[in-house]
Amino acid sequence: MKMSGRTFHKVTLIGLINGVLLGWIMKWVEMLSGKQVYKLLLNVDFLPLIGAVSWSEESLFFFHLLFSLAITYSYVYILHPLKVFRKWNKYALAFITVIPAIMLYFPLSALSKTEVVLPSDLTAFFLWTILHLFYGLSLPKAI
């Protein structure tokens, strides 16, 4: 897929909008449910070097947006053009793309040094999963 300036801007906009919406909705869900899914989304305390820094919420949210952009660009420029996926429905491919983000719930919650959700908290996992699936529904808009 050739990357024109217009396509680059569209993919960037979709990635940022998706990331902002996911973060805001997770924060709202955390406030309503008490399940620390937003805190888990932004948590980096288990990473070497990066985790040793006391980052502001804004900085952590910026990291989250970078990750959202990476997922969106991966979907549009790496996965979508591959021959193996050409006959796939773009929503099925988006679903496949967000599966790793959903499954990150378990290692992120297990490795966290601060108190977040437990890996065995099925309610928190359900919330995490549903919100990431909604995130994935918007990925095809970037194509």
Side-chain angles (χ1 to χ4, degrees):
M1 176 182 271
K2 187 178 177 186
M3 181 171 34
S4 67
R6 180 177 165 92
T7 304
F8 176 81
H9 288 106
K10 183 178 178 184
V11 173
T12 301
L13 185 63
I14 294 295
L16 290 174
I17 289 171
N18 278 354
V20 167
L21 288 176
L22 177 64
W24 285 351
I25 293 169
M26 277 213 175
K27 188 169 188 168
W28 181 72
V29 165
E30 181 175 301
M31 288 187 310
L32 290 176
S33 70
K35 302 292 182 180
Q36 295 184 322
V37 290
Y38 176 72
K39 189 172 182 181
L40 181 64
L41 185 73
L42 301 186
N43 189 29
V44 295
D45 68 0
F46 57 90
L47 295 172
L49 301 175
I50 294 172
V53 177
S54 180
W55 300 98
S56 68
E57 181 180 351
E58 293 80 13
S59 297
L60 294 170
F61 198 82
F62 176 74
F63 294 154
H64 161 69
L65 291 179
L66 292 177
F67 197 70
S68 177
L69 287 170
I71 290 171
T72 307
Y73 279 103
S74 296
Y75 174 76
V76 172
Y77 293 109
I78 299 169
L79 295 175
H80 191 263
L82 291 177
K83 288 181 183 179
V84 70
F85 296 120
R86 285 211 178 121
K87 294 185 180 190
W88 286 39
N89 177 298
K90 59 185 175 180
Y91 288 97
L93 181 56
F95 175 74
I96 300 286
T97 303
V98 297
I99 293 283
I102 292 170
M103 298 316 293
L104 276 174
Y105 171 85
F106 297 106
L108 291 177
S109 58
L111 293 172
S112 177
K113 294 179 182 176
T114 59
E115 183 182 326
V116 291
V117 294
L118 295 172
S120 60
D121 188 337
L122 295 181
T123 302
F125 178 67
F126 175 77
L127 294 169
W128 178 270
T129 299
I130 293 299
L131 294 172
H132 278 85
L133 288 174
F134 278 115
Y135 173 93
L137 285 175
S138 297
L139 285 176
K141 304 262 187 251
I143 294 176

